[in-house]
Structures are given as structure tokens and as C-alpha cells.
Amino acid sequence: MNVVIVDNGGQFTHLEGRALRDVGVSHEIVDNTADPAEVVERADALVLSGGPSIEDVGRTPEYLESGLPILGICLGHQIIARQLGGAVEGGDHGGYADVKIHVEEDGGLFEGLPESFNAWASHADEVVELPDGFTRTARSEVCEVEAMQHSERPIYGVQFHPEVSQTEHGLDIFRNFVEVARGVHERGPDDPAVSS
Amino acid sequence: MVEPEEFVPEAIEEIKQQMGAEGRAVMALSGGVDSSVCAALAYEAVGERVVPVYVDTGLMRKGETAAVEEAFGTMESLRVVDARQRFLDALDDVVDPEEKRKVIGEEFMRVFEQEARDADARYCIQGTIYPDRIESEGGIKSHHNVGGLPDVLDFDEIIEPVRELYKDEVREVARYLDLPEEISERMPFPGPGLAVRVIGEVTEDKLHAAREATAIVEEELEEGGYDPWQALAAVVGKGTGVKGDNRVHGWIVAVRAVESRDGMTAQAIDVDWQTLQSIQSRVTGTLPDVARVVYDVTHKPPATIEYE
């Protein structure tokens, strides 16, 4: 199985690679201008990295149509929201360094995790309206939508950074995503039984 | 985590491949763990065909030059260059941090270019690690030892043995190679050195304050039982003080101590009051032109570890 990390210019993109390496899955990093057909061919799952600006996301929105399991991180999460019918705006309160994440929905990325844990964030904007078909799975005191997932398709977004060393259970989150992706990969993407 | 037992033989083989059958390589040795590991790997690969060059820019930490001479003195090809005045002159009137990095990078290149010519070197080895590459590509810092330097010098090849590694992984390799603890555990130190630990123009008096205060911070934190990823003192401004009965308008020194795994993110350490006071007392007591000491509580993000 191969996970493709789409690089939106974030400073932690390589750490996402490191996390996947530590979870034991093959991965590669591609620029967000890569041809969607090529990306889909090489990937069994996608991670959309963070980055400095939502105006600078290359062809990332096109990869969302691929039907692959997707994990969007920070800007990646915001791209998913905006592209699929939600809204992103400047937050009242930026989130930097520690935030306490409160899990609202078990399972998915948070399978086996405690109800709350510390994570690190680095963002000024946030998702203010969930995209169609998504539910909020975690929140914090400084940000209402810390995590979301589609109710049927394997698409997830997290506003915080599971790939940095200070985020508790960061590696578990990657592990859970890889588990979901493996499940989809084994059953085949068109299997109607596929769910998160 | 990268496994040193796998990484080391591969890295040595790669250096041999890149350097072919003959020709010498110069490499910039800073005394830090990254370049030291590269020197050790290169020496294993090609012996005296590697010419390590240590440039004393005047921006190094207290005792650093002597430490390098001691650790690498047995390598016959080692060259130590005293370029202190050159760098200070080049930095005259430069206040913008990006400009400082650019000036230092360029001056370093000129010194290095001369050494490369003298050594008749066809190759250049650099201790660039992964975060250096990301932070330069992402526009966070322009200096890092990436591009610029060897581009102009027309080497047959630029060799970067540790480019895929994070700092914690380089340390593992250093320990595996049995490098002295003083090197494997050495705190990260920025390329432009103390120039980015003084706000505004780089002058000898500010450098002196940053150099001495940094040494005090490193010592006192060790005394206090701390083991930071990085700790430093920086001259961040000017403020009033009263010493003896004299009004002083002296430097404000910021103390920074952070924990980190890989330098990409970091937490400010909760240093106990007594240790902070020991630092404050020694810094203001031994440095006449320092008026006060502050402690930086900001994490990375939103700050960076260094000040410029």
C-alpha cells in the first residue's frame, strides 16, 4: 500500500512522511501541482498537508474527487471544507502550540484514543461551516471544528497537527487512518460496504 | 527512526560513489554534530581526500574554535581560517535579519572558495539536514546552508550525506560512530552564529554580550539539571537599569531554553526561579553593559527557536 502526501508548502510536510514511515507504510511526497490522474494511479490513500495559504493549493481540490481515503491536515482540512460546500474564515483566536482536543465522536481517527488529549496547532483560520455530509468529530476551546469526517466516505480532516512530536497520540491517528485505508484497499473503493 | 547500522554503510558507499576514484573534497566544519558526522563518514569513505575547513567567523560560541581544533586536530588535512575581521566588516551597518544571513552566506562562500582553490578540491561536502531544506524552501529562513554557497563554486558535485535526516537521527549516527560526547550532544547552533542572536546591527560589543551570556545560560541550565534541545541568550534591545548608583542604558538579554524532538516544533522549558535568578545574576553581574534579563516563554510555533 502506498500513501501519497500532497505538499501544500507546509513546514511539517516531511514530518507527515516521518509519521507514515514510523507506522510502517510506504509513502511519497508530491507537489500539489501534480497531475490528478498520476496521483490517483500511485496512491492508495492521500494525506493533504498544511501550508501557508488557501490561495496556493495547486490542484489539491481535484484530488478530492478521486474516491481515495483522504486525511487533510490543517490547511488540507480547510481545503476539504471549502471545496465540498463548507466555509473557512479567520478565527477569533488563532491556535498556536498546545490546544486541548475534546473528542466528540469515537472511532475513525480517534479509535482507541482518550476523550481528550493535547495537540499542537498552528493556524489563524478555521472551518466555520462543515461541508456537506460531514460531522464534527472533535473541538477545542479555541476552535469549534478541530476534526471532521464524512459520514459515508473515508474523508477526514484535522485542524491540529498529528505529525508533530508534542501532539499526544499523533502516531495513533496516522495508524488509524492507515487502518481505514487498508480496509478500503482490500475491499475495493466501489464497495458500498466501505464506511469509516 | 533511521537505523544507524543501515544508514552508515549506505552513506559511506554513496560518498565513495559520488567522489569517484580521485580528487579532493572540501567540507565546512562548524564543530556541530551535523558537519562532524559528515567529516567522520567522509573520512571513513575517502580518508585524507577530505579537507575539513573550519572558519572562525567571529560569530562562534565561547571556546568553540579551541574545541574544534582539539577534536579534529589529528586530521592532517584540517584547515582553520581566522576570518573574524572580514565578517565584522561585511556586517557593518546591516540590520535586516535576511540581509545578515545573505551577507554572512556570501562572505563565507568567498572564504570557502579560497580554501577550495588552495586545496584544489573538485567536490564539496555539506552537513545539511532535512529541516534546513524545508525551512529554506518554505521561505522561513533564507540562510541555511542550502544553495548559494556551492552553486557559484563550480564543484563537480555537492555531497550532502545527512540531507534526509533529522537532528535527533544525526545524533544517533554520531553516537553509533563513537564521536566524542561533546560533539554528539552539542546543542544546535545556527549557521549565521551569534549574528542572529543580536537584534539589529552586529557589533563586537553586542556579540560579546551574546557570547558570554550564552555560555552562562548553557552552564547554569546544566547545573540546574536541565537537558534542553537548545538554549541560548540573545541581545534583543536596550533598556534602562541602575547599577551601583549609576543609571545605565544597557542591553536587554533574552534567555531561551526549549525542548524538542526534531527542531521543527519546540516547547519553552519551565525553568525554575532559582536557576533563572542564577542566570540573571551572573549575566548582569559580569557584563557591565547588560541592564536586564528576560525569559522567553513562547513555543515554536508561533515563535522560532532563534530570534532571527
Side-chain angles (χ1 to χ4, degrees), chain A:
Chain A
M1 200 181 90
N2 188 47
V3 179
V4 167
I5 300 168
V6 175
D7 186 4
N8 289 306
Q11 47 173 325
F12 304 137
T13 305
H14 199 262
L15 288 181
E16 290 155 18
R18 182 172 174 167
L20 289 170
R21 182 194 69 183
D22 291 349
V23 159
V25 74
S26 149
H27 71 277
E28 59 182 295
I29 298 176
V30 306
D31 198 77
N32 66 9
T33 52
D35 179 63
E38 230 193 273
V39 168
V40 171
E41 204 191 295
R42 297 149 83 119
D44 296 301
L46 296 178
V47 170
L48 310 179
S49 86
S53 169
I54 203 156
E55 308 308 330
D56 206 359
V57 298
R59 304 186 73 171
T60 304
E62 295 175 65
Y63 311 148
L64 299 180
E65 297 156 24
S66 62
L68 291 168
I70 300 176
L71 169 62
I73 297 174
C74 198
L75 185 75
H77 154 85
Q78 291 169 4
I79 295 169
I80 292 171
R82 187 184 269 196
Q83 185 65 17
L84 299 182
V88 173
E89 268 167 32
D92 287 329
H93 188 300
Y96 298 102
D98 6 23
V99 279
K100 198 176 193 83
I101 304 296
H102 299 281
V103 178
E104 308 237 301
E105 255 185 54
D106 280 326
L109 296 180
F110 304 125
E111 181 70 39
L113 265 58
E115 241 192 270
S116 73
F117 60 92
N118 285 327
W120 273 47
S122 186
H123 65 102
D125 297 333
E126 59 188 76
V127 172
V128 296
E129 232 180 85
L130 288 170
D132 306 323
F134 277 73
T135 55
R136 180 180 69 182
T137 51
R139 59 175 293 282
S140 73
E141 259 113 55
V142 296
C143 174
E144 280 307 301
V145 184
E146 287 285 2
M148 62 185 188
Q149 69 184 49
H150 195 281
S151 49
E152 279 151 25
R153 297 159 64 193
I155 306 180
Y156 305 84
V158 290
Q159 181 61 72
F160 58 92
H161 286 279
E163 70 276 39
V164 306
S165 60
Q166 294 87 349
T167 295
E168 292 171 352
H169 303 286
L171 215 56
D172 292 329
I173 288 172
F174 278 96
R175 206 168 274 130
N176 288 335
F177 175 66
V178 169
E179 271 310 296
V180 167
R182 280 210 169 101
V184 171
H185 184 58
E186 276 153 29
R187 283 194 290 273
D190 298 316
D191 188 320
V194 164
S195 70
S196 41

Side-chain angles (χ1 to χ4, degrees), chain B residues 1-32:
Chain B
M1 232 5 223
V2 158
E3 293 304 320
E5 316 75 89
E6 278 167 36
F7 175 79
V8 167
E10 275 168 24
I12 290 173
E13 193 48 46
E14 195 187 45
I15 296 169
K16 282 184 180 159
Q17 295 272 346
Q18 291 183 283
M19 280 186 65
E22 52 173 23
R24 300 168 92 191
V26 274
M27 70 158 289
L29 189 66
S30 67

Side-chain angles (χ1 to χ4, degrees), chain B residues 25-294:
Chain B
V26 274
M27 70 158 289
L29 189 66
S30 67
V33 65
D34 306 339
S35 56
S36 300
V37 163
C38 289
L41 290 171
Y43 197 70
E44 281 290 312
V46 299
E48 297 280 339
R49 285 172 65 198
V50 161
V51 178
V53 175
Y54 171 79
V55 180
D56 186 353
T57 57
L59 308 168
M60 309 307 287
R61 280 173 292 194
K62 191 172 181 181
E64 199 130 41
T65 301
V68 168
E69 284 172 317
E70 205 187 296
F72 291 94
T74 49
M75 282 182 82
E76 274 199 41
S77 43
L78 173 70
R79 292 154 107 102
V80 175
V81 182
D82 181 354
R84 288 172 292 170
Q85 199 54 51
R86 278 180 77 152
F87 278 84
L88 213 55
D89 290 344
L91 286 166
D92 209 28
D93 280 334
V94 179
V95 298
D96 175 68
E98 285 308 298
E99 184 66 26
K100 278 188 207 176
R101 284 171 176 265
K102 187 162 155 283
V103 163
I104 292 168
E106 278 171 8
E107 199 58 37
F108 192 88
M109 180 176 69
R110 284 187 196 107
V111 172
F112 203 66
E113 184 175 24
Q114 192 53 55
E115 293 302 311
R117 295 224 161 91
D118 290 352
D120 198 23
R122 286 161 56 179
Y123 306 97
C124 175
I125 300 176
Q126 289 197 127
T128 316
I129 60 172
Y130 199 80
D132 295 336
R133 293 162 53 199
I134 310 174
E135 297 198 344
S136 296
E137 285 158 27
I140 293 168
K141 288 175 189 170
S142 68
H143 165 92
H144 292 301
N145 43 334
V146 172
L149 180 71
D151 282 353
V152 181
L153 297 185
D154 218 17
F155 290 107
D156 285 3
E157 197 139 357
I158 286 102
I159 301 167
E160 296 176 312
V162 295
R163 68 190 173 283
E164 293 292 319
L165 302 188
Y166 285 96
K167 194 70 127 195
D168 54 325
E169 297 173 326
V170 176
R171 286 198 205 285
E172 285 296 315
V173 174
R175 290 171 197 136
Y176 176 81
L177 293 173
D178 267 324
L179 290 181
E181 236 184 59
E182 222 219 350
I183 287 181
S184 65
E185 311 310 311
R186 195 182 216 75
M187 257 180 233
F189 187 57
L194 296 175
V196 296
R197 292 186 180 173
V198 304
I199 304 289
E201 193 185 351
V202 180
T203 56
E204 186 49 50
D205 57 340
K206 283 184 191 168
L207 285 176
H208 177 77
R211 190 181 298 119
E212 293 295 321
T214 291
I216 291 169
V217 166
E218 290 183 12
E219 275 166 36
E220 289 298 324
L221 286 175
E222 199 182 318
E223 272 285 309
Y226 295 93
D227 184 20
W229 161 272
Q230 200 158 337
L232 59 120
V235 171
V236 298
K238 260 192 144 170
T240 49
V242 54
K243 287 184 164 186
D245 290 299
N246 296 302
R247 182 187 175 275
V248 170
H249 189 219
W251 304 120
I252 300 174
V253 166
V255 174
R256 190 132 173 74
V258 302
E259 260 156 10
S260 179
R261 177 191 68 175
D262 47 35
M264 306 296 298
T265 51
Q267 308 104 276
I269 295 176
D270 184 358
V271 178
D272 68 285
W273 187 248
Q274 191 178 332
T275 303
L276 289 175
Q277 285 303 320
S278 299
I279 292 171
Q280 179 271 112
S281 156
R282 276 184 69 186
V283 170
T284 54
T286 60
L287 300 171
D289 51 358
V290 173
R292 60 182 82 203
V293 174
V294 296

